[in-house]
Amino acid sequence: MEKIVNLCKRRGFIFQASEIYGGLNGAWDYGPLGVELKRNLKNYWWRVIVHERDDVVGMDGAILTHPAVLKASGHVQGFTDPMVDCRLTNQRFKADQIPWQSGTVFTYEFARDAMPSAAAFEALAYLAETEAQPQINKKLDLSDSISLGLRIVERRRLSVPAPTKEPESIESFFLALGTELVRNPQPGWEEWENRFQSGYSVPERALCGDSFRVLVRARESESKARKTAQAFYQKRGLRLPVVILQSKQPIENTRDFNPENGAELTPPRAFNLMLETHLGAVADEASKVYLRPETAQSIFVQFKNILEVSRKKLPFGIAQIGKAFRNEINPRNFTFRSREFEQMELEYFCRPEQGMELLEYWKEERLKFYDDIGISRSKLHVRNVPDEERAFYSKGTYDIEYDFPFGRQELEGVAYRTDYDLKQHQHASDKSLEYFDDETKEKFIPHVVEPSAGVDRTVLALICEAYSEDQAPNDKGEMEARTVLRFHPRMAPIKCAIFPLLKNKEPLVVKAKEIVGLLRPHMTVFYDESGAIGRRYRRQDEIERDSMKQERVKTSDLLQLLSMRIA
Ligand code: ATP
């Protein structure tokens, strides 16, 4: 993945948004090649879904959305991700993305600070002092208090062994010191001896009463649990936490712990993913609007208008490509999970009894689409989303997943959403969204099947799929490692590169430019006359060339030949 991210930046496919200011998390800019690739994808989707069909029309809706729309659709109430925080690092995760883990749970009841209290420190300072008045107004310091303690032990010849660096050992040292001092008082010092012992008693020291759990997985050491717990209590203000273990229990298949450090996670909380802004001069509740979290809702809201103007009969669809925004908890895996992204959505309206059949139909159509753009079937997987994971109104959903370098992840969802959306909007707006069937004279709310694909995720899949490394001869004929993006010609950002062999040979340059003129109206071409020819080839290889095969064709046949191969 790292190689792919680097190549994307180096060759101008994808850059981090606002990069020179340190980047904006979850937003990406597409460079000269990336924008071509993205357009090829969107144009091809539009061609297959809208232009080549009689039963689908397009629309382009506004991003700014009236809150009422998203209230009716359920997004204001329910477009939430259950979110959990690591109690140690405060890292935030989506609860359903925590892997199931097994191991032993260490439960810590509380912790107390092994650092002497201010009163105990003061007593130590007096007891250790021989001549002058002790300096006790400086900040309480661990190494100072230990060396003061050791000085007293040495001077009074007490049998208290020196501590290690562990809080438990330091605590034992001071506790033993207190006991010994009280047991062997020195005339005139009783007050300070007693003050030290009571100043170091548990109630006088700092304490954190929060309980905390750590998961220790097989092959991890037990001391890891204690260190993690110490770090937790340190964050809560204890300088030298002595952690109190309450229990140790085996556990199977839990999602309660941070997979990275074993620390306990908070219980899931609902976090709304919608981004909002305000229209007009006053930023109050009345001026609030949302940036749409999906393109689909504007299709439902315009259903009646489009039905009337297009005069379509069921089944028919409305398609849209456009931006959507989600305040994802942790954007990651390059563009895979972004906060601003594009969707390609089709809402295909039908009679209720056609829903399940059309769900199968659209799943197959969409798989064919991926095949047509060069994504291998062997890397695609159809997941039949089980009842408990599906939206309550959906009677069937397929996730089309792709084997990304970072794992198998959703590219597209194909969902049978029943009549839920139109019903909700009809109810909330009090405007009829019914369909009238001329033949049967029935009036009803159509059902809908929705294939919803992500533009950015598909672009990423195209790049991952195209990426390959092989060996090719360099200028001197020596074999060298070569990076090649083997895009399907239909998706390739540049269809044809034109290089005159030498730039100072007038006839070669004239001919090459003539070919540029011939092809440019029909495809994206790239002309380059500078530098060694081998290097010019290699620069193109990296962005898209499959083989180094040479073929000679007549200039007059060129356009037809290339067009055929691209289509
Ligand atoms: P996920 O479970 O991965 O968050 P989702 O099931 O919420 O996705 P849908 O609401 O079904 O996604 O959206 C349809 C499509 O939109 C997804 O299949 C995906 O391709 C795209 N998409 C959704 N969220 C994002 C995102 N944050 N970044 C990029 N693409 C996204």
Side-chain angles (χ1 to χ4, degrees), residues 112-317:
R112 54 179 181 256
D113 205 335
M115 282 292 286
S117 63
F121 185 74
E122 188 190 19
L124 267 187
Y126 273 94
L127 288 164
E129 207 50 59
T130 42
E131 296 118 32
Q133 282 290 305
Q135 298 279 314
I136 51 166
N137 52 355
K138 69 174 183 170
K139 201 169 173 290
L140 204 104
D141 174 285
L142 177 67
S143 58
D144 285 348
S145 34
I146 292 177
S147 57
L148 289 175
L150 288 172
R151 212 191 294 169
I152 300 168
V153 168
E154 198 187 306
R155 182 158 340 118
R156 298 202 183 181
R157 300 209 166 80
L158 301 174
S159 58
V160 180
T164 67
K165 286 204 173 90
E166 292 299 321
E168 287 77 8
S169 167
I170 292 166
E171 184 184 51
S172 306
F173 170 72
F174 284 125
L175 285 173
L177 179 62
T179 312
E180 287 298 304
L181 286 173
V182 174
R183 194 184 294 160
N184 309 296
Q186 293 228 345
W189 290 93
E190 290 91 340
E191 187 196 338
W192 291 111
E193 285 150 357
N194 287 327
R195 272 214 221 172
F196 176 72
Q197 196 192 31
S198 61
Y200 199 74
S201 66
V202 171
E204 292 305 311
R205 276 184 276 145
L207 193 99
C208 174
D210 294 355
S211 74
F212 179 63
R213 298 188 301 152
V214 186
L215 179 71
V216 171
R217 285 154 294 202
R219 288 193 301 279
E220 285 177 342
S221 76
E222 287 203 17
S223 69
K224 191 198 133 168
R226 203 161 56 96
K227 291 215 175 82
T228 309
Q230 283 170 345
F232 171 82
Y233 289 108
Q234 259 164 357
K235 282 212 145 178
R236 276 160 181 71
L238 300 194
R239 280 183 284 178
L240 256 184
V242 174
V243 297
I244 310 302
L245 183 67
Q246 185 180 37
S247 66
K248 215 168 101 173
Q249 269 175 341
I251 196 165
E252 280 192 25
N253 296 328
T254 169
R255 272 181 157 176
D256 293 353
F257 300 90
N258 183 340
E260 287 162 27
N261 60 17
E264 185 177 14
L265 299 165
T266 58
R269 268 176 295 157
F271 174 78
N272 196 300
L273 299 180
M274 285 202 292
L275 282 126
E276 56 183 59
T277 188
H278 296 269
L279 293 187
V282 184
D284 60 10
E285 198 52 30
S287 66
K288 184 162 94 183
V289 296
Y290 292 104
L291 304 187
R292 63 181 177 191
E294 59 176 28
T295 63
Q297 294 308 320
S298 53
I299 299 182
F300 296 128
V301 171
Q302 293 297 351
F303 169 75
K304 205 55 187 257
N305 279 335
I306 294 176
L307 177 67
E308 272 162 22
V309 297
S310 67
R311 311 185 53 226
K312 293 284 176 203
K313 299 265 176 289
L314 288 182
F316 80 96

Side-chain angles (χ1 to χ4, degrees), residues 26 75 79 81 94 96-97 273 293-294 324-328 331-332 334-345 370 397 399-400 409-415 417 450-458:
H75 285 84
F79 192 54
D81 264 349
K94 271 173 88 163
D96 57 9
Q97 282 177 350
L273 299 180
E294 59 176 28
F325 301 81
R326 295 180 188 180
N327 192 7
E328 295 282 358
R332 73 208 138 91
F334 200 24
T335 56
F336 179 83
R337 188 172 300 287
S338 312
R339 288 177 169 147
E340 171 173 347
F341 56 96
E342 264 180 289
Q343 292 185 311
M344 306 183 280
E345 293 193 301
Y370 290 111
T397 300
D399 279 352
I400 301 179
Q409 297 277 354
E410 174 182 333
L411 264 190
E412 167 160 359
V414 184
R417 300 172 68 107
E450 172 198 77
S452 167
V455 174
D456 310 78
R457 285 188 187 179
T458 311

Side-chain angles (χ1 to χ4, degrees), residues 67-138:
V69 171
L70 295 159
K71 259 183 214 137
S73 67
H75 285 84
V76 171
Q77 248 299 286
F79 192 54
T80 54
D81 264 349
M83 164 208 80
V84 291
D85 292 343
C86 173
R87 292 188 68 205
L88 177 60
T89 61
N90 297 336
Q91 260 172 300
R92 190 158 278 186
F93 300 94
K94 271 173 88 163
D96 57 9
Q97 282 177 350
I98 301 289
W100 296 100
Q101 303 174 85
S102 300
T104 307
V105 177
F106 285 68
T107 303
Y108 294 90
E109 199 181 352
F110 65 95
R112 54 179 181 256
D113 205 335
M115 282 292 286
S117 63
F121 185 74
E122 188 190 19
L124 267 187
Y126 273 94
L127 288 164
E129 207 50 59
T130 42
E131 296 118 32
Q133 282 290 305
Q135 298 279 314
I136 51 166
N137 52 355
K138 69 174 183 170

Side-chain angles (χ1 to χ4, degrees), residues 12-15 27-46 321-324 335 338 340-344 369 373 453-460 462-463 487 490-495:
F13 281 92
I14 301 168
F15 308 113
W28 300 93
D29 292 339
Y30 288 76
L33 291 176
V35 67
E36 296 297 336
L37 179 60
K38 201 177 183 192
R39 279 191 183 204
N40 290 343
L41 171 66
K42 291 193 280 183
N43 289 345
Y44 187 64
W45 187 91
W46 197 259
I321 298 178
K323 291 268 186 179
T335 56
S338 312
E340 171 173 347
F341 56 96
E342 264 180 289
Q343 292 185 311
M344 306 183 280
F369 176 87
I373 61 173
V455 174
D456 310 78
R457 285 188 187 179
T458 311
V459 166
L460 186 58
L462 285 170
I463 295 173
F487 285 119
R490 201 173 254 147
M491 291 294 114
I494 294 172
K495 307 299 186 197

Side-chain angles (χ1 to χ4, degrees), residues 350-567:
C350 62
R351 306 180 62 92
E353 60 275 19
Q354 296 171 302
M356 289 312 277
E357 194 186 312
L358 283 166
L359 175 67
E360 296 301 316
Y361 168 82
W362 279 109
K363 175 198 74 187
E364 292 302 322
E365 283 296 295
R366 297 304 302 145
L367 288 170
K368 197 158 135 290
F369 176 87
Y370 290 111
D371 195 41
D372 288 347
I373 61 173
I375 291 184
S376 58
R377 186 63 183 84
S378 63
K379 285 200 176 160
L380 287 178
H381 306 272
V382 177
R383 197 169 82 94
N384 192 344
V385 180
D387 290 356
E388 65 275 13
E389 280 179 47
R390 262 194 336 253
F392 70 89
Y393 48 77
S394 169
K395 282 205 178 149
T397 300
Y398 291 115
D399 279 352
I400 301 179
E401 300 178 324
Y402 175 74
D403 289 325
F404 284 98
F406 45 83
R408 186 177 292 181
Q409 297 277 354
E410 174 182 333
L411 264 190
E412 167 160 359
V414 184
Y416 172 26
R417 300 172 68 107
T418 65
D419 56 358
Y420 174 77
D421 303 272
L422 288 181
K423 231 184 200 160
Q424 289 292 105
H425 288 302
Q426 168 164 300
H427 178 75
S429 67
D430 213 13
K431 303 266 161 34
S432 163
L433 297 178
E434 283 175 327
Y435 175 85
F436 178 69
D437 190 319
D438 291 336
E439 281 162 32
T440 63
K441 308 292 175 209
E442 279 175 283
K443 242 177 161 188
F444 60 95
I445 294 186
H447 279 219
V448 72
V449 174
E450 172 198 77
S452 167
V455 174
D456 310 78
R457 285 188 187 179
T458 311
V459 166
L460 186 58
L462 285 170
I463 295 173
C464 293
E465 185 79 19
Y467 185 90
S468 62
E469 292 169 1
D470 66 2
Q471 297 280 322
N474 66 11
D475 296 352
K476 301 184 196 92
E478 299 153 353
M479 292 307 270
E480 264 185 357
R482 174 178 84 135
T483 307
V484 195
L485 285 177
R486 298 180 196 279
F487 285 119
H488 188 291
R490 201 173 254 147
M491 291 294 114
I494 294 172
K495 307 299 186 197
C496 183
I498 298 153
F499 308 141
L501 192 55
L502 297 163
K503 81 166 165 191
N504 50 11
K505 278 262 164 43
E506 177 79 10
L508 291 181
V509 172
V510 169
K511 193 75 198 168
K513 289 196 169 154
E514 180 195 316
I515 292 174
V516 171
L518 173 79
L519 299 178
R520 185 157 272 163
H522 307 278
M523 61 191 74
T524 40
V525 299
F526 176 79
Y527 175 80
D528 190 3
E529 57 178 27
S530 59
I533 186 79
R535 209 155 315 133
R536 278 181 272 159
Y537 275 131
R538 195 53 52 83
R539 278 179 61 78
Q540 290 305 307
D541 290 353
E542 203 176 45
I543 52 174
E544 48 188 317
R545 214 186 65 162
D546 282 336
S547 80
M548 307 186 66
K549 199 169 130 211
Q550 301 207 355
E551 259 176 79
R552 280 165 180 253
V553 298
K554 287 208 182 92
T555 308
S556 56
D557 293 343
L558 201 52
L559 176 59
Q560 206 207 347
L561 185 110
L562 289 175
S563 302
M564 244 167 54
R565 292 197 183 174
I566 293 164

